[in-house]
């Protein structure tokens, strides 16, 4: 462990333009430096490096962070490796620190020894595959029969565990690994009868499972004899370093391609992944069989929001795709589906394809989930009106679950085309679904969540699109957050609205002011990522951390999406703004602004945001009122509506103008 002091020294001495400049040619542009981004296929310089903030940021692929992050991403260094690299560059001596508790260091040692054992086992299995007669005759010839090249076999470190019952276990124990560790790693098991240890993977070819930073955390073993008893595939059971729900096979080898292509292909088996790699498609991972767990979806969505399910064209393949779709959609992923020609799986099909043919097929045959679902289920429903109605309603439910109103509008349009129904009618259905959800929650916390996710503008596809407003709302949220992270700790003088005669206001910090305003208004940010940053910021701001420490915290945040968002907020003076927003521009860039201006601008920013949210809600209630409801419901809506209108005019007055109609 590098001591905290040393880390602080390293971070304060590191010059971002010099660290990045080792790998990327940078040119000065104003206060910043720019260069070609190494994280995507960049043609014009999209990467900005800010010496003032100590960070880099690409405005195309969203890569960004501090010096340490750059080395971790670009050079695939671990966190301590990156620190040591910078320390060496600037000649800073490293002071080590033993600050872990005994339990922590015991667990760390245990994890380290599991990694070491897995590494030893992987090498053993590779040697068995290539360097023993049995391995070559059985294991290697199996892989060759399947058509895998040596380079692929070596890259994925495929191996072979020999047929003797305890050949590996005996050898490993000779090397000093304990029976206990072998069992814990899932490499050996104890026989119920004899009480002796035997190889868990004996007689199997081995597929090592890498975690996302490339360390081997477990293994999958496939039996080769056709008449063998037991499971065709066995896997490492969950342990200290391996959690089945969190790992996707092939992710480590796919992650760069996933980022670059901004899409991931999801297949079923190990060999599907290998064959697609050989056919030139590297952004591919395999799930563990059943429906995708939330942890795996989260891992994927840190790298891309686009997922394409690749499945056999048979009934089982179709059902597998349908099962995953719902959950992926609610997590905000864009789902596409590719069905392969009859009788093919990704493995067999990739092998038949010549160079780039597979890519072309996947590209040409990917359909969005709505088209896919309607196509396959329409066949079942035929012309039966009841079945068709329930199909429509099931598709609308999927659409209602989408977190983004713009995407909802897009799919309603698509749905209308495919069903040959009017958009208007489908919108009515969609509103009903959303309304149902709005009224369902029981706890205030739940209510807030649902409101944040599901308040939609169903009208956005009818004559006057309001897509721009949604865009502006997102911009408004980012503005507000940018203001917080850049100026949150500045103090302003707040005039209380309740006491108009007061001559002196209260001095308070900007972040406190924003926080209070939102709390009294019961507003929370709408975009889940924005909300996450806002809430975490609010929590940190209540501690004694300085603004710089908070910035440091976010820049090295473990959640990549949060990290990228934060860096974008810090660099809001770079060119990401639409012309339209510029016209309304209110946020402060110039740190030397007078306090008075800052004060006005903060209040304006908060109030504008409140107005956006109120308008959204008001529009929705207006739509609701156009529909038929029992009298009781109508009067409830009207009461709510009048309250909102009253509140709106109060805020508009404070702003001194009407911002939106
Ligand atoms: Zn980039």
């Amino acid at each position: 462990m590098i001591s905290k002091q040393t880390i602080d020294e390293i971070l304060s001495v590191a010059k971002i333009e010099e660290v990045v400049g080792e790998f990327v040619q940078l040119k000065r542009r104003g206060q910043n430096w720019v260069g070609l981004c190494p994280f995507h296929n960049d043609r014009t310089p999209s990467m900005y490096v800010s010496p003032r903030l100590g960070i880099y940021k690409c405005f195309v692929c969203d890569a960004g962070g501090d010096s340490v992050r750059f080395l971790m991403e670009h050079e695939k260094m671990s966190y301590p490796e990156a620190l040591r690299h910078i320390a060496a560059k600037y000649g800073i001596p490293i002071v080590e620190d033993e600050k872990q508790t005994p339990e922590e260091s015991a667990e760390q040692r245990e994890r380290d020894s599991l990694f070491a054992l897995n590494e030893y086992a992987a090498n053993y299995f590779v040697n068995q595959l290539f360097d023993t007669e049995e391995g070559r005759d059985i294991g290697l010839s199996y892989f060759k029969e399947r058509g895998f090249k040596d380079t692929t076999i070596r890259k994925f470190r495929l191996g072979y565990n020999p047929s003797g019952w305890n050949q590996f276990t005996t050898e490993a124990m000779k090397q000093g690994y304990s029976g206990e560790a072998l069992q814990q790693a899932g490499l050996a098991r104890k026989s119920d009868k004899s009480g002796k240890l035997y190889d868990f993977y004996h007689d199997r070819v081995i597929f090592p499972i890498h975690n996302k930073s490339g360390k081997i955390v477990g293994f999958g073993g496939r039996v080769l004899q056709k008449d063998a008893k037991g499971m065709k595939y066995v896997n490492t059971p969950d342990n200290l370093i391996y959690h089945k729900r969190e790992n996707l096979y092939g992710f480590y080898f796919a992650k760069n391609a996933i980022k670059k292509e901004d899409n991931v292909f999801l297949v079923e088996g190990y060999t599907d992944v290998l064959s697609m790699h050989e056919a030139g498609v590297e952004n591919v991972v395999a799930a563990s069989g059943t429906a995708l767990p939330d942890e795996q979806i989260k891992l994927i969505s840190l790298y891309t929001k686009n997922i394409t399910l690749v499945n056999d064209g048979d009934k089982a393949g179709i059902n597998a795709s349908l099962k995953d779709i719902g959950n992926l959609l609610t997590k905000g992923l864009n789902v596409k589906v590719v069905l392969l020609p009859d009788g093919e799986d990704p493995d067999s099909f990739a092998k038949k394809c010549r160079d780039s043919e597979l890519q072309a097929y996947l590209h040409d045959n990917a359909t969005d989930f709505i088209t896919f679902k309607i196509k396959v289920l329409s066949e079942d429903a035929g012309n039966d009106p009841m079945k068709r109605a329930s199909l429509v309603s099931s598709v609308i439910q999927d659409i209602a679950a989408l977190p983004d109103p713009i995407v909802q509008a897009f799919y309603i349009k698509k749905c209308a085309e495919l069903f040959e129904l009017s958009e208007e009618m489908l919108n009515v259905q969609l509103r009903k679904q959303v309304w149902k959800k709005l009224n369902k929650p029981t706890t205030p916390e739940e209510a807030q969540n649902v409101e944040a996710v599901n308040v939609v503008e169903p009208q956005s596809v009818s004559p006057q699109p309001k897509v721009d407003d949604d865009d502006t709302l997102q911009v408004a949220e980012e503005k507000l957050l940018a203001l917080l992270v850049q100026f949150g700790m500045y103090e302003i003088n707040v005039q209380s609205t309740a006491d108009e005669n007061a001559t002196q206001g209260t001095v308070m910090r900007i972040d406190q002011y924003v926080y209070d305003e939102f709390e009294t208004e019961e507003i929370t940010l709408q975009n889940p990522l924005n909300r996450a940053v806002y809430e975490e910021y609010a929590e940190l701001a209540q501690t004694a951390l300085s603004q710089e420490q908070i910035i440091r915290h976010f820049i090295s945040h473990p959640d990549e999406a949060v990290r990228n968002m934060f860096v974008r907020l810090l660099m809001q003076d770079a060119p990401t703004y639409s012309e339209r927003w510029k016209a309304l521009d209110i946020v402060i860039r110039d740190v030397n602004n007078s306090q008075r201006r800052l004060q006005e601008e903060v209040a304006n920013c908060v109030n504008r945001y409140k107005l956006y949210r109120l308008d959204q809600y008001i529009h929705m209630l207006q739509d609701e009122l156009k529909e038929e409801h029992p009298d009781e419901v109508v009067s409830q809506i009207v009461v709510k509506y009048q309250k909102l209108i009253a509140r709106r005019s109060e805020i508009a007055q404070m702003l001194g103008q009407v911002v939106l109609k």
Side-chain angles (χ1 to χ4, degrees):
M1 279 250 303
I2 303 172
S3 79
K4 177 98 185 26
Q5 265 169 335
T6 308
I7 294 175
D8 286 346
E9 195 186 346
I10 291 171
L11 294 177
S12 66
V13 168
K15 286 206 167 64
I16 184 77
E17 67 276 24
E18 292 174 3
V19 174
V20 174
E22 262 184 62
F23 307 96
V24 178
Q25 211 179 342
L26 294 172
K27 270 192 193 147
R28 181 130 219 161
R29 187 177 292 172
Q31 283 196 0
N32 296 332
W33 297 77
V34 296
L36 289 176
C37 171
F39 300 107
H40 78 275
N41 222 339
D42 203 7
R43 300 216 179 94
T44 54
S46 313
M47 176 173 277
Y48 283 67
V49 173
S50 162
R52 180 171 71 88
L53 298 166
I55 57 181
Y56 67 97
K57 176 76 197 159
C58 169
F59 284 96
V60 176
C61 72
D62 234 22
D66 62 0
S67 302
V68 174
R69 175 61 46 191
F70 183 84
L71 293 171
M72 289 168 74
E73 296 285 328
H74 193 266
E75 293 301 291
K76 306 280 169 251
M77 291 179 184
S78 68
Y79 181 68
E81 280 167 359
L83 286 172
R84 284 173 202 279
H85 178 92
I86 299 172
K89 186 178 171 79
Y90 293 99
I92 301 165
I94 301 250
V95 180
E96 305 264 350
D97 195 12
E98 268 299 327
K99 256 187 141 177
Q100 284 173 318
T101 65
E103 293 81 32
E104 276 169 354
S105 36
E107 189 179 306
Q108 187 58 44
R109 271 198 304 276
E110 208 174 319
R111 293 165 59 88
D112 287 346
S113 68
L114 280 177
F115 281 126
L117 174 53
N118 280 342
E119 187 60 29
Y120 165 77
N123 283 333
Y124 175 89
F125 297 142
V126 168
N127 290 338
Q128 290 291 319
L129 183 77
F130 284 101
D131 302 338
T132 67
E133 211 179 312
E134 184 190 332
R136 279 194 299 264
D137 285 354
I138 300 173
L140 194 58
S141 74
Y142 166 78
F143 287 132
K144 295 278 180 185
E145 242 167 66
R146 303 292 303 252
F148 295 124
K149 295 178 198 132
D150 267 0
T151 44
T152 307
I153 297 172
R154 296 266 186 200
K155 178 173 170 188
F156 286 85
R157 299 180 71 184
L158 308 183
Y160 179 71
N161 189 351
S163 58
W165 274 78
N166 56 7
Q167 220 165 301
F168 165 71
T169 303
T170 313
E171 187 58 34
M173 289 176 81
K174 235 188 257 168
Q175 297 297 320
Y177 295 101
S178 71
E180 207 172 295
L182 283 161
Q183 287 182 78
Q184 212 196 351
L187 288 160
R189 286 215 165 163
K190 196 175 258 178
S191 153
D192 289 338
K193 279 186 208 148
S194 65
K196 281 186 188 155
L197 292 180
Y198 66 89
D199 297 357
F200 184 52
Y201 299 106
H202 69 88
D203 241 342
R204 287 171 188 267
V205 284
I206 304 285
F207 299 82
I209 300 164
H210 299 75
N211 68 8
K212 67 175 180 196
S213 48
K215 283 186 177 169
I216 294 175
V217 288
F219 300 91
R222 186 195 196 283
V223 75
L224 295 182
Q225 286 101 326
K226 283 210 175 77
D227 54 347
K229 282 177 236 144
M231 311 255 288
K232 190 162 132 192
Y233 279 99
V234 288
N235 285 91
T236 302
D238 275 23
N239 62 36
L240 203 55
I241 59 171
Y242 178 69
H243 308 282
K244 188 175 175 181
R245 295 175 64 87
E246 289 168 10
N247 275 284
L248 282 162
Y249 182 74
F251 192 83
Y252 170 67
F253 300 102
K255 62 180 184 181
N256 288 340
I258 293 173
K259 255 201 172 147
K260 204 166 149 196
E261 306 290 333
D262 195 15
N263 179 43
V264 61
F265 291 106
L266 184 76
V267 294
E268 242 178 275
Y270 303 141
T271 51
D272 296 333
V273 170
L274 303 181
S275 295
M276 281 177 68
H277 261 265
E278 288 199 335
V281 177
E282 297 196 348
N283 49 329
V284 55
V285 299
S288 37
T290 49
L292 273 189
D294 289 354
E295 291 87 342
Q296 293 180 357
I297 297 178
K298 200 174 151 202
L299 177 64
I300 288 173
S301 53
L302 290 176
Y303 286 74
T304 182
K305 297 288 176 221
N306 302 306
I307 182 165
T308 307
L309 313 175
V310 184
N311 272 311
D312 317 356
D314 61 9
K315 199 100 196 163
I318 290 170
N319 285 336
S321 301
L322 286 174
K323 212 165 55 189
D324 272 328
I325 287 176
N327 198 19
L328 290 166
L329 292 177
T330 57
K331 300 288 179 336
L333 275 101
N334 305 317
V335 185
K336 289 192 171 180
V337 184
V338 175
L339 289 182
L340 298 173
D342 237 2
E344 303 282 2
D345 57 35
D347 182 12
S348 66
F349 186 64
K351 290 222 170 67
K352 283 187 190 157
C353 290
R354 282 198 304 272
D355 282 353
S356 77
E357 258 179 13
L358 178 66
Q359 256 157 354
Y361 182 89
L362 294 173
H363 180 265
D364 296 344
N365 289 279
T367 40
D368 63 86
F369 81 97
I370 289 286
T371 314
F372 170 75
K373 190 163 176 174
I374 294 175
K375 232 200 238 146
V376 298
L377 295 183
S378 284
E379 280 167 26
D380 284 351
N383 282 325
D384 182 338
M386 292 305 280
K387 280 189 184 163
R388 283 192 78 81
S390 84
L391 171 57
V392 173
S393 125
S394 136
V395 171
I396 296 289
Q397 253 176 41
D398 284 344
I399 297 177
L402 297 171
D404 185 342
I406 300 174
V407 182
Q408 282 181 334
F410 171 79
Y411 280 122
I412 284 289
K413 206 177 160 80
K414 190 121 208 179
C415 200
E417 282 165 23
L418 289 165
F419 281 123
E420 297 175 354
L421 294 169
S422 78
E423 271 180 51
E424 192 136 336
M425 198 194 114
L426 295 175
N427 271 321
V428 171
Q429 297 291 328
L430 178 66
R431 269 192 301 244
K432 281 196 177 142
Q433 292 285 350
V434 172
W435 186 248
K436 242 196 236 165
K437 279 194 184 150
L438 276 176
N439 283 308
K440 211 165 55 186
T442 45
T443 69
E445 201 184 14
E446 250 175 51
Q448 244 177 19
N449 285 341
V450 173
E451 182 200 5
V453 177
N454 283 312
V455 172
V456 290
E457 292 268 16
Q459 291 293 320
S460 52
V461 286
S462 43
Q464 290 134 354
K466 293 211 186 80
V467 170
D468 268 348
D469 287 351
D470 290 320
D471 188 27
T472 313
L473 184 77
Q474 170 63 16
V475 176
E477 290 198 347
E478 286 193 18
K479 283 278 163 189
L480 204 69
L481 282 173
L483 188 117
L484 271 185
V485 306
Q486 293 183 21
F487 299 99
M489 298 219 169
Y490 282 62
E491 282 181 338
I492 52 172
N493 195 340
V494 180
Q495 208 77 32
S496 159
T497 43
D499 184 7
E500 280 169 19
N501 298 324
T503 45
Q504 284 208 316
T506 326
V507 173
M508 67 196 307
R509 271 169 38 176
I510 288 179
D511 49 16
Q512 189 59 44
Y513 169 75
V514 172
Y515 197 63
D516 287 356
E517 286 292 301
F518 275 28
E519 197 138 79
T520 32
E521 216 75 43
E522 289 182 31
I523 292 181
T524 159
L525 298 190
Q526 191 171 23
N527 175 306
L529 184 59
N530 293 346
R531 197 162 65 234
V533 173
Y534 172 73
E535 281 167 3
E536 193 163 336
Y537 180 91
E539 214 171 281
L540 291 170
Q542 284 166 11
T543 64
L545 293 179
S546 69
Q547 186 102 3
E548 260 183 61
Q549 284 168 315
I550 293 178
I551 289 176
R552 182 64 62 204
H553 164 87
F554 275 103
I555 287 179
S556 46
H557 200 281
D559 185 334
E560 191 180 17
V562 171
R563 205 164 61 225
N564 287 341
M565 179 67 192
F566 193 84
V567 172
R568 194 158 80 220
L569 295 171
L570 274 182
M571 294 191 80
Q572 282 242 330
D573 51 350
T576 51
Y577 286 101
S578 65
E579 290 306 310
R580 184 180 159 171
W581 180 268
K582 272 183 198 151
L584 297 171
D585 199 356
I586 44 170
V587 156
I588 342 116
R589 307 249 158 74
D590 183 2
V591 188
N592 300 319
N593 256 325
S594 72
Q595 206 209 15
R596 204 185 122 71
R597 244 196 95 196
L598 185 62
Q599 215 156 293
E600 278 173 20
E601 277 157 347
V602 172
N604 271 356
C605 196
V606 169
N607 282 329
R608 270 174 211 270
Y609 183 70
K610 282 187 200 165
L611 271 195
Y612 282 128
R613 291 303 311 271
L614 277 172
D615 281 338
Q616 242 190 350
Y617 212 38
I618 288 170
H619 281 309
M620 206 195 66
L621 289 182
Q622 279 169 344
D623 289 340
E624 256 330 296
L625 282 170
K626 285 181 202 149
E627 289 193 36
E628 280 184 41
H629 299 287
D631 290 352
E632 209 184 287
V633 177
V634 172
S635 63
Q636 276 175 4
I637 300 176
V638 170
V639 171
K640 233 187 227 173
Y641 182 73
Q642 284 169 337
K643 267 192 204 157
L644 292 175
I645 294 286
R647 184 71 195 126
R648 188 190 187 286
S649 69
E650 267 175 48
I651 296 176
Q653 224 167 17
M654 264 190 268
L655 265 171
Q657 67 189 95
V658 178
V659 179
L660 286 172
K661 275 186 270 125

